[in-house]
Amino acid sequence: MQLSSDGQTWQNWAGNQSATVKEVQRPASLAEVASVVARTAESGERLRVAGSGHSFTPLVTTSGTLMDLSRLPAEVSVDSTTSTARVSGQMRLSEVGPALWERGFALANQGDVDVQTLAGALATGTKGSGPRHGTMSSRVRGMGLITGTGEHHEITGRDQRLLHAAQVSLGLLGVVTHVDLSVVPRYRLREDNAVMSVDELLDVWEGAKDAYHHFSFWWMPTSSSSEIYGLPPVPADHAYVKMLTAEPAGDGAEVAGGSGARSGPAYLIYPDTELGDPFYELEYVVDAGDDKETFLELRELMRHGFPQEATPLQVRWQARDEAYLSPQYRRDAVSLSVSGMPGTDYVPFLRAVDRRLRDRSARPHWGKLHFLDRDRVEELYPALDDFRAVRRSLDPRNVFLNKHLSDLLV
């Protein structure tokens, strides 16, 4: 969590969101968490939990209390008979992977950045790629919450309504104490990345989606585009293609090979995007059946409508799920993301992407920039009223609301 020297101003990693808060609370136990929440509810104030600050949207901003959970004990346990791991919500993904590996298990899939807290990644619907794999949230089988009344509530699969609301919750249901995740036996990944022309990419497109555990790519509009994400050099109008094959775990934890040809424990291979200079990312999710056509449309838009934009266009796939606020709700999906660069007038470009994808019922990654308003949220999320009902039941005094989320969802 990034705070100013006086401890009152919070800022996210990218520097595009900030808030001056009334107080910062750093509880060291779940009893302290419950006490702070109950006190906040009684006073009529608001509280948001700050994770790693990796979201580009104002999910955390508040003028009330900001809660930092980093002092809570980090705990991981695995029930090998059910392949379910119980993980403290405040742990970062970079900590979760090694802890599961030591116990013989792994996450089924994950994204290319691992700085997020587990609870934050789940709350925004974070994911990796591969049409056989859902988001990380789709693997949630239970969750512990300190609700808006300061009480501890255990969500399990016995109440699917609560579970599907909690899987992608934007932090609106309570403070996450632990998460029960469906995990898989630990495995290694072999990385066989390649640079391809668009024609070569289109030739392997369908086969690669089925052949690899993880298949995704970044298309580069300029020869300098790969520098934005710290990727190897790629010529203009070519793609950096990420192809990962799952292999037996073995015993070692080493990562061998150079860039584009590595092998190692899955948790070490997934994250391969360097967080260097800030950027402001937008990511929308559309029906997987429109994947190739949508990619080519955005490529055309960028080449001819916004040739000055150097941002890579990233394309990934996910299986459908049942989480009420998930971009993949009941729809096998493809996600497409671009970024704006600080100091440039990037908003017209991002708005053009938004307009181009609107007719495809595009839903955003909640932690990335988007242009949704309340009407579009109503249109895009069929189970929104179910989520609203669960939110009201768990947070009747609106402790966890902020203006951004209230304007969109309540």
Side-chain angles (χ1 to χ4, degrees):
M1 186 170 75
Q2 303 181 60
L3 287 171
S4 61
S5 57
D6 63 5
Q8 298 298 115
T9 301
W10 169 89
Q11 180 175 280
N12 68 341
W13 166 79
N16 68 319
Q17 303 293 341
S18 63
T20 299
V21 301
K22 179 181 178 181
E23 63 176 355
V24 177
Q25 289 285 341
R26 295 182 171 88
S29 68
L30 297 185
E32 289 183 37
V33 173
S35 177
V36 171
V37 173
R39 188 168 66 247
T40 304
E42 187 65 27
S43 68
E45 296 287 343
R46 301 286 180 265
L47 181 152
R48 294 296 291 168
V49 177
S52 66
H54 191 64
S55 291
F56 300 92
T57 47
L59 293 175
V60 172
T61 56
T62 182
S63 59
T65 298
L66 198 65
M67 182 173 284
D68 172 7
L69 301 179
S70 60
R71 293 180 62 204
L72 292 180
E75 299 176 349
V76 177
S77 61
V78 178
D79 183 340
S80 59
T81 61
T82 62
S83 295
T84 303
R86 175 161 291 192
V87 184
S88 299
Q90 81 280 0
M91 290 181 66
R92 293 186 181 239
L93 298 182
S94 58
E95 302 170 312
V96 175
L100 290 177
W101 181 272
E102 291 173 1
R103 292 160 176 79
F105 288 86
L107 299 174
N109 205 347
Q110 67 183 89
D112 47 34
V113 173
D114 63 357
V115 300
Q116 308 98 318
T117 63
L118 175 62
L122 297 174
T124 54
T126 298
K127 73 282 181 186
S129 184
R132 297 188 300 276
H133 304 290
T135 65
M136 292 179 62
S137 297
S138 71
R139 310 289 296 193
V140 173
R141 299 295 179 263
M143 186 178 293
L145 294 171
I146 304 296
T147 69
T149 60
E151 298 171 311
H152 186 268
H153 192 97
E154 188 82 22
I155 294 175
T156 71
R158 289 189 295 273
D159 191 330
Q160 292 288 296
R161 184 166 164 269
L162 286 180
L163 180 64
H164 295 327
Q167 286 173 315
V168 180
S169 71
L170 307 180
L172 286 170
L173 305 186
V175 181
V176 176
T177 61
H178 69 262
V179 180
D180 294 330
L181 287 170
S182 173
V183 292
V184 299
R186 66 183 186 181
Y187 59 97
R188 295 172 68 88
L189 286 173
R190 187 181 77 247
E191 181 180 57
D192 296 300
N193 298 345
V195 174
M196 297 183 184
S197 69
V198 172
D199 286 342
E200 290 171 327
L201 174 63
L202 295 176
D203 283 343
V204 304
W205 187 290
E206 296 300 333
K209 286 193 299 183
D210 294 332
Y212 293 98
H213 180 87
H214 170 116
F215 171 70
S216 65
F217 66 88
W218 288 267
W219 172 76
M220 311 296 179
T222 75
S223 59
S224 63
S225 296
S226 61
E227 298 173 7
I228 294 174
Y229 294 157
L231 297 169
V234 179
D237 199 25
H238 283 63
Y240 182 73
V241 185
K242 186 173 177 178
M243 298 169 287
L244 305 181
T245 302
E247 299 179 330
D251 297 323
E254 78 284 352
V255 176
S259 176
R262 301 185 300 160
S263 176
Y267 71 88
L268 291 177
I269 301 298
Y270 282 120
D272 67 351
T273 301
E274 296 180 9
L275 290 179
D277 294 332
F279 52 85
Y280 307 141
E281 189 172 5
L282 171 148
E283 183 171 23
Y284 279 179
V285 177
V286 304
D287 191 287
D290 298 330
D291 55 1
K292 193 177 297 186
E293 184 178 355
T294 306
F295 160 65
L296 292 174
E297 282 184 2
L298 291 186
R299 172 177 174 252
E300 185 75 7
L301 174 70
M302 294 173 67
R303 294 180 72 195
H304 300 292
F306 296 89
Q308 77 281 6
E309 297 294 338
T311 173
L313 167 59
Q314 186 179 22
V315 179
R316 297 182 285 177
W317 286 263
Q318 302 87 38
R320 67 182 64 203
D321 61 45
E322 293 291 323
Y324 295 151
L325 293 187
S326 171
Q328 292 79 13
Y329 178 72
R330 295 188 176 178
R331 182 174 71 179
D332 291 334
V334 60
S335 60
L336 306 103
S337 65
V338 293
S339 294
M341 304 309 298
T344 68
D345 185 16
Y346 60 86
V347 174
F349 165 59
L350 297 188
R351 283 196 174 276
V353 172
D354 172 81
R355 288 192 299 271
R356 184 60 61 93
L357 297 182
R358 186 166 184 169
D359 289 343
R360 297 193 182 277
S361 299
R363 300 170 183 154
H365 181 312
W366 289 107
K368 311 287 181 71
L369 297 179
H370 62 80
F371 297 98
L372 266 62
D373 55 22
R374 183 189 294 262
D375 289 342
R376 285 178 70 181
V377 171
E378 295 268 5
E379 173 188 336
L380 291 170
Y381 296 90
L384 179 60
D385 284 343
D386 292 305
F387 178 84
R388 286 168 167 164
V390 172
R391 190 202 69 79
R392 287 193 299 268
S393 70
L394 295 182
D395 186 19
R397 297 190 181 184
N398 299 327
V399 171
F400 301 111
L401 274 178
N402 66 7
K403 184 179 186 306
H404 170 68
L405 294 170
S406 181
D407 288 346
L408 283 177
L409 298 166
V410 179

